[in-house]
């Protein structure tokens, strides 16, 4: 209770500073901490949209036979993403009973949603496979007409460079790994940073530096209200969280209310 009051007063201070309205909510792997959902499932995308998240993040891999599927880990239920066929991967079931989705199925479901699609390309075994995956993703986005609702993120600098090269100009591409300054990213044509909280706490000046360079700042994966408040107070543009409802309550000033 004391903690909630403390957080609430911090939020009020952030509101007074005017930093709050700008911060947007990204559901990490969709909104999955709710009934009938699972990480990186179609249900998680639909549920993130249904609660009005600005964006829904999801992870993708390229299968052994060159198709794009949605999943986080390098292997799932004993099957290596990069070494298993598309048919085998999409036959696997997620915790909510859904089949592991293809990117195509994910995009089909997104037709009924307005939320932005925050696509993370996982680090693949070779730069060539990453380049091929980026090409396939960009082509599919074009086929669906989703160019204006995509944001691309990756821990692979090579993948980020490929998105910069292959996606339409102006598409947000954010780097996740944390070791490059905003100016260094800008030099590579990357439009933003999506860094762990610990990196931004170590380099709080990077937030302002990024904004001065016209870049976007996101932070992950923030599930704690006090951390959310720190980021809001520091003017971070987007927060990626497993607790989108908590963040929404903080932003609307209803956190701590029954
Ligand atoms: Mg991810």
């Amino acid at each position: 209770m004391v903690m909630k009051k403390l957080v609430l007063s911090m939020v009020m201070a952030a509101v007074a500073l005017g930093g709050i309205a700008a911060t947007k909510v990204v559901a990490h792997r969709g909104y999955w901490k709710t009934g009938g959902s699972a990480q990186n499932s179609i249900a998680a995308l639909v549920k993130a949209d249904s609660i009005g998240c600005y964006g829904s993040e999801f992870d993708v891999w390229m299968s052994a036979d060159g198709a794009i599927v949605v999943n986080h880990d390098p292997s799932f239920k004993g099957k290596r993403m990069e070494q298993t066929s598309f048919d085998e991967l999409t036959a696997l079931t997620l915790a909510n009973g859904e089949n592991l989705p293809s990117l195509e199925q994910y995009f089909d479901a997104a037709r009924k949603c307005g939320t932005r699609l925050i696509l993370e390309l996982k680090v693949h075994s070779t730069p060539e496979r990453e380049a091929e995956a980026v090409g396939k993703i960009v082509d599919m986005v074009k086929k669906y007409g989703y160019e204006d609702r995509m944001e691309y993120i990756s821990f692979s600098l090579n993948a980020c460079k490929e998105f910069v090269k292959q996606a339409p100009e102006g598409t947000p591409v954010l780097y996740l790994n944390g070791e490059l300054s905003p100016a260094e990213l800008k030099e590579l044509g990357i439009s933003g940073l999506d860094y762990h909280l610990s990196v931004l706490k170590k380099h709080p000046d990077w937030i302002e530096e990024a904004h001065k360079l016209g870049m976007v700042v996101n932070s992950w994966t923030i599930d704690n209200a006090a951390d959310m408040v720190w980021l809001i107070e520091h003017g971070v543009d987007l927060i990626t969280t497993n607790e989108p409802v908590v963040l929404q309550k903080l932003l609307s000033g209803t956190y701590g209310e029954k």
Side-chain angles (χ1 to χ4, degrees):
M1 195 59 208
V2 172
M3 186 63 198
K4 276 201 170 173
K5 274 197 174 150
L6 180 66
V7 168
L8 201 58
S9 63
M10 287 160 79
V11 176
M12 293 313 185
V15 173
L17 288 170
I20 231 161
T23 307
K24 299 183 178 82
V25 181
V26 175
H28 182 240
R29 305 179 195 173
Y31 181 28
W32 58 271
K33 282 182 151 185
T34 183
S37 195
Q39 295 186 12
N40 282 312
S41 65
I42 285 171
L45 167 70
V46 172
K47 285 172 190 286
D49 182 68
S50 74
I51 59 165
C53 291
Y54 166 83
S56 191
E57 189 261 2
F58 58 101
D59 306 286
V60 306
W61 286 96
M62 188 168 74
S63 68
D65 47 352
I68 309 295
V69 296
V70 180
N71 193 66
H72 181 268
D73 293 342
S75 62
F76 183 69
K77 295 192 167 174
K79 303 280 184 189
R80 303 280 307 168
M81 291 291 138
E82 289 192 79
Q83 279 131 34
T84 306
S85 72
F86 174 79
D87 287 349
E88 273 182 276
L89 291 175
T90 52
L92 299 170
T93 50
L94 307 180
N96 66 344
E98 250 180 61
N99 280 65
L100 187 148
S102 66
L103 184 60
E104 202 155 17
Q105 288 168 331
Y106 213 77
F107 279 179
D108 281 338
R111 279 203 197 287
K112 297 187 209 94
C113 306
T115 192
R116 285 178 72 80
L117 303 168
I118 318 296
L119 183 152
E120 179 182 346
L121 180 64
K122 302 309 291 184
V123 180
H124 282 59
S125 51
T126 66
E128 291 77 18
R129 278 183 60 82
E130 288 180 349
E132 188 186 344
V134 168
K136 288 184 167 160
I137 292 162
V138 168
D139 283 350
M140 200 180 292
V141 165
K142 193 176 173 194
K143 191 179 110 187
Y144 278 80
Y146 286 172
E147 288 96 334
D148 291 339
R149 57 189 291 203
M150 297 304 301
E151 294 182 20
Y152 298 114
I153 60 176
S154 187
F155 281 97
S156 160
L157 193 58
N158 172 65
C160 287
K161 287 181 190 169
E162 287 295 335
F163 279 119
V164 169
K165 199 173 11 168
Q166 299 192 48
E169 211 180 323
T171 308
V173 178
L174 277 67
Y175 182 54
L176 292 164
N177 210 27
E179 82 283 15
L180 295 177
S181 72
E184 287 169 313
L185 292 176
K186 179 95 178 174
E187 192 76 10
L188 300 168
I190 293 168
S191 53
L193 38 142
D194 187 351
Y195 286 171
H196 190 265
L197 176 68
S198 61
V199 176
L200 295 180
K201 284 209 161 168
K202 199 169 150 201
H203 302 283
D205 52 306
W206 281 2
I207 300 167
E208 205 185 324
E209 185 190 333
H211 288 158
K212 279 188 181 150
L213 292 168
M215 300 170 81
V216 173
V217 183
N218 191 340
S219 186
W220 55 270
T221 299
I222 315 299
D223 296 342
N224 172 292
D227 292 338
M228 291 172 181
V229 170
W230 188 90
L231 291 164
I232 293 164
E233 283 180 334
H234 284 77
V236 163
D237 305 288
L238 303 130
I239 295 175
T240 303
T241 177
N242 292 309
E243 299 286 358
V245 175
V246 171
L247 181 53
Q248 286 176 330
K249 284 183 176 170
L250 280 171
L251 291 166
S252 64
T254 56
Y255 181 80
E257 287 178 9
K258 290 274 179 211

